[in-house]
Amino acid sequence: MRPLSIVCIVLLLVGVRSSGQEKYRGGIVYGPKAAFNISAPEGWVLDNQAGADQGLPCVLYPKGSSWQDAETIMYAKIASTQFEDVGKFVAMAIKEMKKAHGMPKQKVESGKTGDGQSYFINEYPATKTYSQWERVAYVQLPRAVAYIVLSSRDEPSYRKYSSALTKVLKSFAYLEPKAARDQH
């Protein structure tokens, strides 16, 4: 396994066949310094193959759609190894996205993940230069930053599905890296 790649590994061995692809209820997102488990909310599919060509091996979309045609999608990642602090990562993300998105609505929601990690969500409404409506959840982990993006093609889909991001966060569980566990 390459150390910098993020891998979504299937947690549940029982899959549902749809369009010839395996779909799973939950998975683990691995990064070089951290890992976390998430589950698909009711009515959603977690897919570890559809976004792989885009560097997104853990994607979610509503049942009855696909990664390619869904009006709203989600993907989960761990920030690059240069970011261990959520504040610094978010500042960089806002700086880079400001040109296309303008300023986000910061901390439109906050709370605790399923295992008690603190999170907050920024909202990035569509602009004249960027048509996607997005919510991004940021979670501070020990020595890493996790983030989950919900992206919609239009505002009605965004409003309809925006609560799905919070449901994913309620299933979120940090997994201590093997090397750290071995040192205890």
Side-chain angles (χ1 to χ4, degrees):
M1 183 181 320
R2 296 182 322 197
L4 294 179
S5 67
I6 299 172
V7 181
C8 185
I9 295 185
V10 177
L11 277 181
L12 301 177
L13 297 176
V14 179
V16 177
R17 281 251 186 237
S18 174
S19 304
Q21 295 181 336
E22 291 285 327
K23 307 295 186 271
Y24 304 95
R25 192 80 178 120
I28 299 173
V29 177
Y30 281 98
K33 294 183 177 182
F36 62 90
N37 171 38
I38 59 172
S39 296
E42 191 66 37
W44 283 72
V45 172
L46 186 143
D47 189 326
N48 67 344
Q49 296 174 356
D53 290 345
Q54 298 169 289
L56 302 170
C58 189
V59 301
L60 301 97
Y61 47 86
K63 286 182 181 175
S65 62
S66 71
W67 174 246
Q68 292 76 23
D69 70 10
E71 292 295 319
T72 299
I73 54 91
M74 284 189 272
Y75 60 89
K77 294 188 82 170
I78 294 177
S80 122
T81 57
Q82 73 187 61
F83 294 102
E84 292 186 358
D85 178 76
V86 72
K88 290 178 181 175
F89 178 70
V90 172
M92 179 278 307
I94 288 172
K95 183 178 175 185
E96 288 189 8
M97 296 172 79
K98 190 175 181 181
K99 294 172 190 160
H101 276 291
M103 282 302 288
K105 294 179 182 176
Q106 295 188 47
K107 299 186 179 178
V108 296
E109 184 180 324
S110 61
K112 299 281 187 184
T113 63
D115 69 342
Q117 307 288 328
S118 292
Y119 74 83
F120 66 90
I121 297 174
N122 285 354
E123 182 176 82
Y124 299 86
T127 65
K128 291 178 184 176
T129 58
Y130 192 78
S131 63
Q132 298 292 110
W133 285 77
E134 295 181 341
R135 288 175 77 96
V136 182
Y138 301 96
V139 182
Q140 178 69 63
L141 301 174
R143 300 186 57 231
V145 177
Y147 64 103
I148 303 170
V149 177
L150 178 135
S151 184
S152 296
R153 295 180 191 201
D154 56 52
E155 187 176 7
S157 297
Y158 175 78
R159 300 285 172 220
K160 178 180 178 181
Y161 290 114
S162 63
S163 65
L165 179 58
T166 305
K167 291 174 185 169
V168 170
L169 289 162
K170 294 302 177 192
S171 75
F172 184 105
Y174 169 71
L175 301 171
E176 188 174 358
K178 185 178 183 333
R181 286 193 311 259
D182 293 345
Q183 294 173 356
H184 291 289

